């Protein structure tokens, strides 16, 4: 591996993948068509998933860029039925309060086509839950606090990588964000520097699954070229 010292630090040579223009167009189109088939799925089977797959999904997520390469994330993998049951009970308690008192009428109306409610069986049925925690700061060996940088942005990108990796593996998931999520830090006994960011139940889809018939915004609606 060829290396070079830049501003007092070692850098290694990197050659990104490159393709002819026609192949680039084809690859980009095929990738869009593939990722466009990804859908949020709530009907998750309890069929076992090899842990090796979960390990690889997390490793893929960990390749995401992060502020100053601090990698401010922790991926907590839960397969223990008792812990999953505790998480479901606490999540549904928060969701009941949200649906009854926290969400506006407009919010509730917007959710109607999606078909969600405060009952979350997937939190127990899915073979794995991955709870992504953001690491707001670190403490050194002397206990001194050091803030991380662009934490929300970094962890959000990692979650995107993770969701894409799940789809690539032939599994399904959904982005679950009960609010507030403090109970996850308590149940999983996470340290003071971690905050729950996103909960992803992961598994195979049930044999018969229905998802809302939705349309995505067109390119003209989401992109502005200058």
């Amino acid at each position: 591996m060829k290396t070079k010292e830049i501003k007092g630090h070692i850098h290694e040579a990197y050659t990104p993948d490159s393709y002819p223009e026609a192949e680039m167009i084809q690859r980009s189109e095929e990738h869009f068509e593939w990722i466009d088939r990804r859908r949020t799925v709530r009907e998750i089977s309890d069929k076992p998933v090899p842990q090796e797959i979960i390990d690889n999904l997390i490793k893929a997520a960990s390749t995401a860029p992060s502020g100053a390469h601090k990698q401010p994330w922790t991926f907590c993998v839960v397969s223990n039925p008792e812990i999953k049951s505790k998480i479901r009970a606490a999540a549904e308690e928060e969701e009941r309060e949200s649906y009854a008192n926290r969400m506006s009428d407009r919010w509730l109306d917007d959710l109607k086509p999606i078909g969600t409610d405060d009952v979350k069986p997937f939190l127990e049925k899915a073979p794995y839950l991955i709870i992504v925690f953001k690491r707001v700061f670190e403490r050194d060996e002397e206990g001194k606090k050091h803030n991380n940088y662009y934490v929300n942005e970094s962890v959000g990108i990692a979650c995107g990588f993770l969701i894409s990796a799940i789809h690539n593996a032939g599994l399904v998931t959904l982005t679950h964000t009960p609010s507030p999520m403090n109970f996850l830090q308590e149940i999983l006994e996470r340290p003071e520097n971690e905050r729950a960011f996103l909960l992803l139940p992961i598994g195979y889809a049930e044999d018969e699954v229905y998802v809302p018939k939705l349309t995505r915004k067109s390119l003209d609606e989401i992109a502005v070229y200058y």
Side-chain angles (χ1 to χ4, degrees), residues 70-162:
K70 291 299 182 181
Q71 305 165 81
W73 43 63
T74 300
F75 300 90
C76 291
V77 182
V78 178
S79 59
N80 182 295
E82 292 182 6
I83 299 177
K84 289 195 292 183
S85 181
K86 289 180 181 179
I87 290 174
R88 179 183 179 182
E92 289 186 339
E93 182 178 349
E94 294 293 352
E95 293 285 69
R96 283 192 294 271
E97 180 64 22
S98 292
Y99 276 86
N101 300 308
R102 294 172 181 152
M103 294 179 179
S104 66
D105 290 340
R106 180 180 178 183
W107 191 347
L108 293 171
D109 284 341
D110 285 341
L111 286 174
K112 286 178 181 178
I114 309 298
T116 62
D117 56 29
D118 56 7
V119 182
K120 311 296 180 183
F122 50 77
L123 292 175
E124 285 187 288
K125 193 170 184 181
Y128 287 99
L129 307 179
I130 294 183
I131 299 91
V132 185
F133 284 83
K134 61 181 182 181
R135 301 174 66 93
V136 181
F137 62 89
E138 309 290 345
R139 290 196 185 276
D140 60 25
E141 295 179 355
E142 298 176 352
K144 187 176 179 180
K145 181 178 176 180
H146 300 275
N147 287 333
N148 288 321
Y149 317 108
Y150 299 104
V151 173
N152 287 335
E153 294 86 348
S154 301
V155 178
I157 296 170
C159 288
F161 276 37
L162 178 55

Side-chain angles (χ1 to χ4, degrees), residues 41-61:
V41 174
R42 292 174 170 80
E43 291 77 30
I44 301 178
S45 168
D46 59 2
K47 179 182 176 181
V49 174
Q51 185 179 322
E52 184 179 2
I53 295 175
I54 302 300
D55 294 344
N56 289 332
L57 298 179
I58 292 173
K59 287 190 289 185

Side-chain angles (χ1 to χ4, degrees), residues 160-218:
F161 276 37
L162 178 55
I163 292 168
S164 180
I166 292 167
H167 180 57
N168 181 64
L171 300 173
V172 296
T173 190
L174 63 118
T175 53
H176 186 48
T177 53
S179 180
M181 293 196 287
N182 299 334
F183 65 89
L184 290 168
Q185 187 176 18
E186 296 171 3
I187 292 174
L188 300 177
E189 300 180 347
R190 300 311 304 161
E192 61 171 345
N193 65 320
E194 294 185 1
R195 306 284 186 275
F197 186 86
L198 185 64
L199 191 161
L200 295 165
I202 298 171
Y204 295 97
E206 291 280 17
D207 291 337
E208 187 173 51
V209 170
Y210 290 88
V211 297
K213 187 176 182 179
L214 304 175
T215 57
R216 306 190 195 276
K217 291 182 178 180
S218 67

Side-chain angles (χ1 to χ4, degrees), residues 15-75:
T15 303
D17 293 338
S18 181
Y19 310 97
E21 186 174 280
E23 185 177 351
M24 293 170 66
I25 294 172
Q26 179 183 350
R27 290 173 66 92
S28 63
E29 183 176 0
E30 289 175 350
H31 182 77
F32 162 69
E33 291 173 350
W34 170 77
I35 200 69
D36 189 43
R37 293 197 295 272
R38 185 211 61 79
R39 296 295 300 270
T40 291
V41 174
R42 292 174 170 80
E43 291 77 30
I44 301 178
S45 168
D46 59 2
K47 179 182 176 181
V49 174
Q51 185 179 322
E52 184 179 2
I53 295 175
I54 302 300
D55 294 344
N56 289 332
L57 298 179
I58 292 173
K59 287 190 289 185
S62 74
T63 68
S66 60
H69 194 54
K70 291 299 182 181
Q71 305 165 81
W73 43 63
T74 300
F75 300 90

